[in-house]
Amino acid sequence: MTVNSPLIPARNRRLPASERRQQIVDAVLKVVSEHGVPEATTSRIAEAAGVAEGTLYVHFSSRAEMLIAGLDAIFMQMLGLVESSTEPDALLRLKDVAERHTRLMSTEQGGFAYPWVEFIAAGPQVGLREAVAQTQIRAFRLIWEIVEEGKAQGAIRSDLDSDQLTWEWLSFAWAENMSCLMGLDDFLANGHSSRLMDIILKDARA
Amino acid sequence: MTVNSPLIPARNRRLPASERRQQIVDAVLKVVSEHGVPEATTSRIAEAAGVAEGTLYVHFSSRAEMLIAGLDAIFMQMLGLVESSTEPDALLRLKDVAERHTRLMSTEQGGFAYPWVEFIAAGPQVGLREAVAQTQIRAFRLIWEIVEEGKAQGAIRSDLDSDQLTWEWLSFAWAENMSCLMGLDDFLANGHSSRLMDIILKDARA
Amino acid sequence: MTVNSPLIPARNRRLPASERRQQIVDAVLKVVSEHGVPEATTSRIAEAAGVAEGTLYVHFSSRAEMLIAGLDAIFMQMLGLVESSTEPDALLRLKDVAERHTRLMSTEQGGFAYPWVEFIAAGPQVGLREAVAQTQIRAFRLIWEIVEEGKAQGAIRSDLDSDQLTWEWLSFAWAENMSCLMGLDDFLANGHSSRLMDIILKDARA
Amino acid sequence: MTVNSPLIPARNRRLPASERRQQIVDAVLKVVSEHGVPEATTSRIAEAAGVAEGTLYVHFSSRAEMLIAGLDAIFMQMLGLVESSTEPDALLRLKDVAERHTRLMSTEQGGFAYPWVEFIAAGPQVGLREAVAQTQIRAFRLIWEIVEEGKAQGAIRSDLDSDQLTWEWLSFAWAENMSCLMGLDDFLANGHSSRLMDIILKDARA
DNA sequence: CATGAATGAGGGTTCATTCAT
DNA sequence: CATGAATGAACCCTCATTCAT
């Protein structure tokens, strides 16, 4: 109802919606990494994406939706982590993926760990925590399938509960995330986490 | 003890500072448990403590300070968890404390774990994340000393890196916290976390 | 008339400007009826008209202009109401038109009255209130001419001030509009408004 | 969660809550009169009240509540209008109150008419239109009781439907409001509305 | 003619913090 | 010690309008 006259013309080239959307999702992850979910304000996201705040709402219907899109992108990274391993032996592949995880944690900003744990503990916000749990369940399945494959191969003892090993693997990943988040570098740097994975896998070996 | 005149509304009696402070800290933990750190507003804290908002600032100089005081209180609970175990064998004590941790997680809202993980992931807020890391380091020492005691006792293999086992134990605790936070009940309920601890301790046994 | 290929999605065919304009005006009335003037946003209007938002500005230079066009359309309906009465006796015609007005009010959402009163009270917006007043003045003339005709016919007492009776007739119409708008159904349903018109006309009868 | 440090101290003397509330309600009426309900923004209201925007929310929980409080204040004016008449004859009192209404309309900004009709047509906003209807129902009762009193006195014909006369009286008031709102000064200034009331009351006289 | 991505001012609301009482 | 009214920056989101396509 107010007289809104945007006298200054659009500075940003028009972009296909999907491309702009991707820009925004990237901006979400960047901002969440740097500031955490609660401080991932729309104004910061817009600035990081190089668009006006209003533009965010052309592509997403709410801040929550942007955050969830960011979370989805993180899951895709996790998926990439798992799928990029070509190790045929499932047990060794679990180790291989774990090592990739460790390396990713050591990169700048802890790879996807930062935003991911931020999401987990973002507080019981609208839909966000549920979305996070869903992500975990999807991750669970990814690992679980490797475990099953290992049992079929005979690389993993057949009397082992697949859920059990999957939980253990995830515990390892969580611990790396947490320690990374808290700046407790020792855990990764000194090979402690790596050795935890060894213990877990040793127990699983056929 | 004076009888409160029912005619005069029960205005908040002047209280010794320490007592009022405690009230407020309790309120902080309650609010953080229910709403998470970002939603732990001063107005909610004041309401939960039964005082006016201004009163908070008589006892704390900022909201961050209140949160950190809450975090400290949580560490004290963790301390209680460890110290309440009278198991003489250090290895068994590690198991005992782990079991107490599991039980605590299973209570409504995960005992102190809930606010604790909320703190961890509260984002890089002023001073808060550093305070959380400090808490972890203190917790590390608590467990580390049990480990050392175990090695002195001969219950834990002497060639084991104490840091390593301590990290592993903490990984277990973190995993329980995370799964609790995400509502992934299976991990605790079906004994998966308990079995992870078994693997860890088996590896450590002398 | 060309057959729309079902394979090519029905993109909005180029339309003669006047036709498109009419579509938009219809949409304005629909949206104003449902949501009121303040909530008659360009996005809602565009959606109701089945065009893109930008298209609105091909045919109108501002939202205010669209609203005024809608208001004009309403006056045309009012005109239709008056002109559709073929009652030769002017006094009876006043009654007849009043009855049509009452019936129109009773239809879903009060016929054109709904958007019309919305316009009246849309607040002193740019140009809108002035346009509304103009509409009223035009309506005044419509009724006033019937009154004059009645006096010429001898159906209405010649000593009556034509303005007076016209105002009274409009008062009746306003009251019906207002009560309709406020959901005070009694006024129309129980014949109160009708009886008010009777009193007014009785006083005017020659 | 943001660092909010209001460095500039409060400029406004602390005031009893009820007094500040009244200030705000007055500001609401002023702003609504000048700009209409849709443009009665919190920022304008705050400015008119001479307080910060945040202060509004210390005393009201939402803009809607402020508007409804304004509406209530208007009803109180209407009540004052009715109660200030000491005319013992109920029929004459109806005339007297009508005259006061007319005079009020003629004062700057149409007395309460402006905000009142603004409210009526504020669009189907949350609770607002319902609140307006309630106000009308209360006004209806005020007039209805005078009518009943008149019948008891014998000043008003006993076979007259009290509801009917009450509706007629309200129609008069509505018409004055509407014309005032639309700037159609003739209706009031030239005594047309006054004469409408005469017709209505003549019909009611015993 | 028609589109729809982009804009940025402004909307209502919340918040940590202050200070006169 | 305790209060709570007052603050204003920042929050998320909506809007009328523009213009390259």
Side-chain angles (χ1 to χ4, degrees):
Chain A
M1 277 10 67
T2 325
V3 183
N4 296 346
S5 356
L7 296 175
I8 297 154
R11 297 160 316 177
N12 241 322
R13 284 270 155 289
R14 281 174 111 265
L15 234 51
S18 71
E19 209 163 315
R20 184 67 79 200
R21 214 185 132 94
Q22 189 55 51
Q23 270 187 8
I24 294 172
V25 170
D26 291 347
V28 167
L29 293 187
K30 182 162 183 288
V31 172
V32 168
S33 292
E34 283 171 15
H35 301 278
V37 167
E39 301 288 336
T41 64
T42 48
S43 108
R44 277 205 250 252
I45 293 169
E47 197 194 343
V51 298
E53 250 182 285
T55 306
L56 301 180
Y57 289 86
V58 175
H59 301 277
F60 296 88
S61 66
S62 71
R63 173 177 170 271
E65 217 180 60
M66 296 172 217
L67 291 171
I68 288 174
L71 189 58
D72 261 21
I74 288 172
F75 177 75
M76 289 312 179
Q77 279 194 49
M78 176 72 180
L79 189 63
L81 212 65
V82 172
E83 292 185 336
S84 67
S85 175
T86 55
E87 172 61 53
D89 180 312
L91 195 73
L92 295 180
R93 189 147 83 255
L94 287 177
K95 175 69 179 168
D96 189 32
V97 175
E99 276 167 3
R100 286 161 193 267
H101 189 269
T102 306
R103 275 199 299 278
L104 192 56
M105 289 301 102
S106 311
T107 63
E108 195 198 353
Q109 293 191 336
F112 58 75
Y114 273 83
W116 183 73
V117 185
E118 296 290 354
F119 280 119
I120 292 177
Q125 294 185 15
V126 266
L128 205 45
R129 185 155 289 174
E130 292 70 19
V132 171
Q134 281 306 312
T135 300
Q136 287 307 303
I137 288 167
R138 287 199 281 169
F140 186 96
R141 288 208 188 110
L142 282 179
I143 302 302
W144 190 86
E145 269 162 26
I146 303 181
V147 172
E148 284 285 300
E149 189 185 333
K151 286 165 85 169
Q153 287 176 344
I156 293 174
R157 24 186 267 269
S158 58
D159 62 325
L160 185 80
D161 179 0
S162 297
D163 283 10
Q164 175 67 35
L165 180 51
T166 306
W167 280 119
E168 287 168 5
W169 197 97
L170 286 178
S171 295
F172 151 86
W174 291 343
E176 284 203 334
N177 288 340
M178 299 286 272
S179 60
C180 175
L181 195 67
M182 293 186 283
L184 305 173
D185 304 28
D186 263 19
F187 184 57
L188 278 77
N190 293 353
H192 296 304
S193 67
S194 170
R195 184 138 164 61
L196 171 59
M197 182 47 67
D198 290 342
I199 293 175
I200 289 168
L201 293 182
K202 189 182 73 184
D203 178 75
R205 183 161 294 121
Chain B
M1 207 170 287
T2 352
V3 179
N4 252 334
S5 160
L7 293 175
I8 296 161
R11 301 204 133 270
N12 239 323
R13 230 188 321 335
R14 267 177 75 113
L15 235 50
S18 70
E19 208 164 317
R20 188 64 86 200
R21 220 185 128 89
Q22 189 56 50
Q23 270 186 10
I24 294 172
V25 170
D26 291 348
V28 167
L29 293 188
K30 184 165 183 287
V31 171
V32 169
S33 291
E34 284 172 12
H35 301 279
V37 167
E39 301 287 326
T41 63
T42 48
S43 112
R44 276 207 252 253
I45 293 169
E47 196 193 343
V51 300
E53 268 191 87
T55 306
L56 300 179
Y57 289 84
V58 175
H59 301 278
F60 296 89
S61 68
S62 74
R63 172 176 171 272
E65 215 178 65
M66 298 173 217
L67 291 171
I68 289 174
L71 189 58
D72 265 16
I74 287 170
F75 178 74
M76 289 311 174
Q77 286 190 46
M78 175 71 182
L79 188 62
L81 204 69
V82 173
E83 292 185 336
S84 67
S85 175
T86 56
E87 173 59 51
D89 181 311
L91 194 73
L92 295 181
R93 189 145 84 253
L94 286 177
K95 175 69 177 167
D96 188 33
V97 175
E99 277 168 1
R100 286 162 194 266
H101 189 269
T102 306
R103 276 199 298 278
L104 191 57
M105 290 301 98
S106 311
T107 61
E108 197 198 350
Q109 291 202 328
F112 63 75
Y114 213 88
W116 184 72
V117 186
E118 295 287 358
F119 279 118
I120 291 176
Q125 294 189 12
V126 267
L128 205 46
R129 182 147 293 172
E130 292 71 18
V132 170
Q134 282 306 313
T135 301
Q136 287 307 305
I137 289 167
R138 287 200 279 171
F140 186 95
R141 288 208 189 110
L142 281 180
I143 302 301
W144 189 85
E145 269 162 25
I146 302 180
V147 171
E148 283 288 299
E149 189 184 332
K151 287 164 87 169
Q153 283 176 349
I156 293 173
R157 358 186 290 263
S158 57
D159 63 323
L160 186 80
D161 179 0
S162 297
D163 283 11
Q164 176 66 36
L165 180 50
T166 306
W167 280 120
E168 288 169 5
W169 198 96
L170 285 178
S171 294
F172 152 86
W174 290 343
E176 285 203 333
N177 289 341
M178 299 288 273
S179 60
C180 173
L181 196 66
M182 292 187 283
L184 305 173
D185 305 27
D186 262 22
F187 185 57
L188 281 77
N190 293 352
H192 295 304
S193 68
S194 170
R195 182 133 167 63
L196 171 60
M197 183 46 68
D198 289 343
I199 292 174
I200 289 169
L201 293 182
K202 189 182 74 185
D203 178 75
R205 183 161 295 120
Chain C
M1 209 171 283
T2 351
V3 178
N4 252 330
S5 160
L7 292 175
I8 295 161
R11 300 206 135 270
N12 240 324
R13 230 192 313 339
R14 267 177 75 113
L15 235 52
S18 70
E19 209 164 318
R20 189 63 89 201
R21 219 184 129 91
Q22 189 56 49
Q23 269 185 9
I24 294 172
V25 170
D26 290 348
V28 167
L29 293 188
K30 184 164 182 287
V31 172
V32 168
S33 290
E34 283 171 14
H35 301 279
V37 167
E39 302 289 325
T41 63
T42 47
S43 113
R44 277 205 251 252
I45 293 168
E47 197 195 341
V51 300
E53 269 190 84
T55 307
L56 300 179
Y57 289 84
V58 174
H59 301 275
F60 295 89
S61 68
S62 74
R63 173 178 171 271
E65 215 178 63
M66 297 172 216
L67 290 171
I68 289 172
L71 189 58
D72 265 14
I74 287 171
F75 178 74
M76 290 311 176
Q77 286 191 46
M78 176 69 181
L79 188 63
L81 203 69
V82 173
E83 292 186 334
S84 67
S85 176
T86 55
E87 173 59 52
D89 180 314
L91 193 73
L92 293 181
R93 188 144 87 254
L94 286 178
K95 175 69 178 168
D96 187 34
V97 174
E99 275 168 4
R100 285 161 193 268
H101 189 270
T102 305
R103 275 199 297 278
L104 192 56
M105 290 300 101
S106 311
T107 62
E108 198 197 352
Q109 292 200 330
F112 63 75
Y114 213 88
W116 183 73
V117 185
E118 295 287 357
F119 279 118
I120 290 176
Q125 294 188 16
V126 268
L128 203 46
R129 181 146 297 170
E130 292 70 18
V132 170
Q134 282 307 313
T135 301
Q136 287 306 305
I137 289 166
R138 287 199 280 170
F140 186 95
R141 287 207 190 111
L142 282 181
I143 302 302
W144 189 86
E145 271 161 26
I146 302 181
V147 171
E148 284 287 302
E149 188 185 333
K151 285 164 88 169
Q153 287 177 345
I156 292 173
R157 12 184 276 265
S158 57
D159 62 324
L160 186 80
D161 178 1
S162 296
D163 282 10
Q164 175 66 34
L165 180 52
T166 306
W167 281 119
E168 287 168 7
W169 197 96
L170 285 178
S171 294
F172 152 86
W174 290 343
E176 283 203 335
N177 289 340
M178 299 289 272
S179 60
C180 173
L181 196 66
M182 291 188 282
L184 304 174
D185 304 25
D186 262 22
F187 185 57
L188 279 77
N190 292 352
H192 296 304
S193 68
S194 168
R195 185 139 163 58
L196 171 60
M197 181 48 66
D198 289 343
I199 292 174
I200 290 169
L201 294 182
K202 189 182 74 185
D203 178 76
R205 184 161 292 119
Chain D
M1 272 11 65
T2 327
V3 183
N4 297 348
S5 356
L7 296 174
I8 296 153
R11 299 164 311 181
N12 240 323
R13 283 272 155 286
R14 280 173 112 264
L15 234 50
S18 70
E19 211 163 313
R20 180 70 5 121
R21 217 185 130 92
Q22 189 56 51
Q23 271 186 8
I24 293 172
V25 170
D26 291 348
V28 167
L29 294 187
K30 183 163 183 286
V31 172
V32 168
S33 292
E34 283 171 14
H35 300 277
V37 166
E39 299 288 337
T41 64
T42 49
S43 106
R44 278 205 250 252
I45 293 169
E47 198 193 343
V51 298
E53 252 183 285
T55 306
L56 300 179
Y57 290 86
V58 175
H59 301 278
F60 296 88
S61 65
S62 72
R63 173 176 171 273
E65 216 180 60
M66 296 172 218
L67 291 171
I68 288 174
L71 189 58
D72 260 23
I74 288 170
F75 177 75
M76 289 312 179
Q77 279 193 49
M78 175 70 181
L79 189 62
L81 211 67
V82 173
E83 290 185 336
S84 67
S85 175
T86 55
E87 172 60 52
D89 181 311
L91 194 74
L92 295 181
R93 190 146 84 252
L94 286 178
K95 175 67 178 168
D96 187 33
V97 174
E99 276 168 2
R100 285 162 193 266
H101 189 268
T102 305
R103 274 197 299 277
L104 191 56
M105 289 302 100
S106 311
T107 63
E108 195 198 353
Q109 294 191 335
F112 57 74
Y114 272 83
W116 182 72
V117 186
E118 295 289 357
F119 279 119
I120 291 177
Q125 294 186 13
V126 267
L128 206 46
R129 185 154 290 176
E130 291 71 19
V132 171
Q134 281 306 313
T135 300
Q136 287 308 304
I137 288 166
R138 287 200 281 170
F140 185 96
R141 288 209 189 108
L142 282 180
I143 302 303
W144 189 86
E145 269 161 27
I146 302 180
V147 171
E148 283 287 299
E149 190 186 330
K151 287 165 86 169
Q153 284 177 347
I156 293 173
R157 6 186 283 266
S158 57
D159 63 324
L160 184 81
D161 179 1
S162 298
D163 282 10
Q164 176 66 35
L165 180 51
T166 306
W167 279 120
E168 288 169 5
W169 198 97
L170 286 178
S171 295
F172 151 84
W174 290 343
E176 285 204 334
N177 289 339
M178 299 286 273
S179 59
C180 174
L181 195 67
M182 293 187 282
L184 306 173
D185 304 29
D186 263 20
F187 184 57
L188 279 78
N190 293 351
H192 296 304
S193 68
S194 169
R195 180 133 166 64
L196 171 60
M197 181 49 65
D198 289 342
I199 294 175
I200 290 168
L201 294 182
K202 189 182 73 184
D203 178 74
R205 183 160 293 120

